Amino acid sequence: MTPSSPATGTAASPAEDRAPVVVGTPGSFARSVLDERHPALLERVRRATPYPPELRAALDGLLEEVTEGVIEPLDGTEPGAGPWLAWGGGHYGRPWSEVPFLWAESFFYRKLLAALRYFRPGPWQGVDPFAPMKAAELAGGGVDSEFAALDRLPGDPPERDRALLHAALWGNRADLGFRLSAGGTGPGERATGLVADDSARLWAVLEASAPGTVCLVADNAGPELLPDLVLADHLLATGRAAAVVLHLKAYPYYVSDAVTADVLACLARTAAASGRAAETGERLRRALADGRLELRAHPFSCAPFGYDRMPGDLAADFASATLTIMKGDLNYRRLVGDRHWPAETPFAEATAYFPGPVAALRTLKSDVVTGLEAPAAERLEASEPGWRTSGRHALVQVSA
């Protein structure tokens, strides 16, 4: 269970001098996460599992650190502490709000796992602190409604493509999933709220060459992972992909990010359904068994850096793919760089370093955004100041 030490490369970010890094400035979305969301999460974790006194005390210590103290390094005896000591650079001893937000968030979750002895030999090794939350969401009745929507998929192939792509796109909002695209008659109705839509280009990239491997970099577990798996099945069933490699987190991360156990739970939930959901679940189980669906969890998935610092083996994996699809808000931040980009910065420019064709499917839940037309961005800024973080808007962007 000891985490390995991913190499992170030495190349400088292409945005090094062009957009300031996001930090927890007063009044910012990042600051609200650090000051409000992280303490609330610690309390939720405490309540979800009856941890023994020593682990509860460790959670209390972490709460005090994030609310009143400065960033302290991991204990030297903690498995995997060495890389984090190096990655911390000049961050230790500083307030959490003063260091890059992406790094601070990542380190918070790593310290949470350390407090709960996730990596240490003993009875709590490998126990996912977010598992109760994930299980409750997956068991919810809303999942059955989403499964039922599969039986209403349009027969027209382009409409079906669009419905399933939109289901995966809006899956970041657990109360939407398939149903956001459903309207009154089924998932064929167009979803609203798109601020950029390269959907046609995404399908064109997949159809421009013989079926190859599609890398799908997953985001959240539970009801948000289900439409990603359905999309993977659709790519295989329609011949857009000969194989799908589903990239997961190497260990529990960012509350609900998907690990291997979450995929297996989703497959079990799908196979236990009825109608097209059950058929989809059975196809996915066969695809996993015969290698057409492959699960990977690279250590870099939990590193506190953007993909411009990915190690060579992960870059080679993405380079060999017909298309890499990045799901969700965190992957988007890591893809373009967690910086205050002008919204009209071209997506292709921010991702120019990426080793192959890449697409982003993302519901906007943080400040970072690129690739918008200037007039559209100006209208959003004027009419809806919180549009970047409200979760009411989404984008499909492709660079190939």
Side-chain angles (χ1 to χ4, degrees):
M1 293 297 299
T2 300
S4 58
S5 304
T8 57
T10 58
S13 166
E16 199 68 46
D17 299 314
R18 297 176 9 215
V21 172
V22 175
V23 296
T25 53
S28 68
F29 172 78
R31 186 63 168 265
S32 72
V33 171
L34 297 172
D35 289 352
E36 301 168 18
R37 186 179 299 179
H38 287 176
L41 175 62
L42 289 173
E43 179 60 24
R44 192 174 180 188
V45 167
R46 282 174 60 96
R47 292 182 177 181
T49 303
Y51 292 111
E54 61 272 22
L55 299 193
R56 296 175 72 85
L59 288 175
D60 290 341
L62 180 56
L63 176 61
E64 182 178 359
E65 178 183 330
V66 299
T67 57
E68 303 176 18
V70 296
I71 302 171
E72 302 289 349
L74 291 168
D75 185 286
T77 64
E78 170 70 14
W84 279 99
L85 185 62
W87 296 341
H91 301 335
Y92 298 119
R94 299 176 63 187
W96 288 79
S97 61
E98 291 184 0
V99 306
F101 180 46
L102 179 62
W103 190 96
E105 277 196 296
S106 296
F107 193 53
F108 167 78
Y109 285 102
R110 184 59 183 83
K111 293 206 80 172
L112 174 57
L113 293 183
L116 298 177
R117 301 184 181 178
Y118 180 87
F119 295 108
R120 291 182 181 269
W124 295 97
Q125 185 178 36
V127 176
D128 184 348
F130 313 125
M133 308 170 207
K134 296 175 181 178
E137 289 189 348
L138 194 58
V143 171
D144 295 320
S145 298
E146 294 179 350
F147 284 156
L150 285 175
D151 292 324
R152 304 194 303 272
L153 280 171
D156 179 60
E159 286 295 301
R160 180 171 295 208
D161 289 345
R162 181 172 56 79
L164 293 178
L165 187 67
H166 280 179
L169 168 65
W170 289 101
N172 282 142
R173 298 179 64 183
D175 60 330
L176 297 176
F178 296 122
R179 287 172 291 164
L180 188 79
S181 297
T185 59
E189 295 296 322
R190 181 172 296 278
T192 59
L194 285 175
V195 297
D197 188 4
D198 290 343
S199 300
R201 191 175 184 197
L202 183 150
W203 296 114
V205 169
L206 291 172
E207 294 167 357
S209 59
T213 296
V214 172
C215 288
L216 177 56
V217 184
D219 187 35
N220 294 320
E224 303 183 18
L225 180 59
L226 289 169
D228 296 347
L229 290 169
V230 172
L231 179 61
D233 171 69
H234 185 64
L235 295 178
L236 292 169
T238 59
R240 268 62 170 264
V244 173
V245 176
L246 186 64
H247 284 260
L248 305 162
K249 295 299 187 293
Y251 51 77
Y253 193 61
Y254 277 69
V255 188
S256 61
D257 281 20
V259 297
T260 298
D262 299 319
V263 175
L264 299 180
C266 283
L267 290 181
R269 182 77 161 89
T270 307
S274 60
R276 285 181 173 170
E279 297 169 4
T280 299
E282 183 55 36
R283 285 195 301 270
L284 286 166
R285 288 174 63 90
R286 290 198 301 268
L288 189 59
D290 65 26
R292 289 178 297 119
L293 175 63
E294 182 178 348
L295 309 184
R296 294 183 190 170
H298 196 284
F300 188 76
S301 67
C302 298
F305 306 114
Y307 283 105
D308 59 308
R309 294 184 63 177
M310 73 180 111
D313 60 335
L314 183 58
D317 197 7
F318 293 148
S320 66
T322 302
L323 180 67
T324 295
I325 301 174
M326 295 280 184
K327 270 297 312 292
D329 197 79
L330 175 60
N331 280 323
Y332 189 86
R333 291 164 56 196
R334 297 185 75 195
L335 177 63
V336 304
D338 202 35
R339 296 174 175 271
H340 290 288
W341 292 101
E344 63 272 17
T345 304
F347 176 70
E349 179 181 318
T351 59
Y353 70 89
F354 202 80
V358 63
L361 303 183
R362 178 233 183 172
T363 301
L364 276 64
K365 296 188 293 185
S366 66
D367 288 318
V368 179
V369 66
T370 67
L372 273 60
E373 298 291 336
E378 291 168 1
R379 285 195 301 271
L380 285 165
E381 293 288 358
S383 63
E384 190 180 343
W387 67 275
R388 293 171 182 255
T389 60
S390 67
R392 291 194 291 268
H393 300 282
L395 55 80
V396 181
Q397 292 175 323
V398 177
S399 177

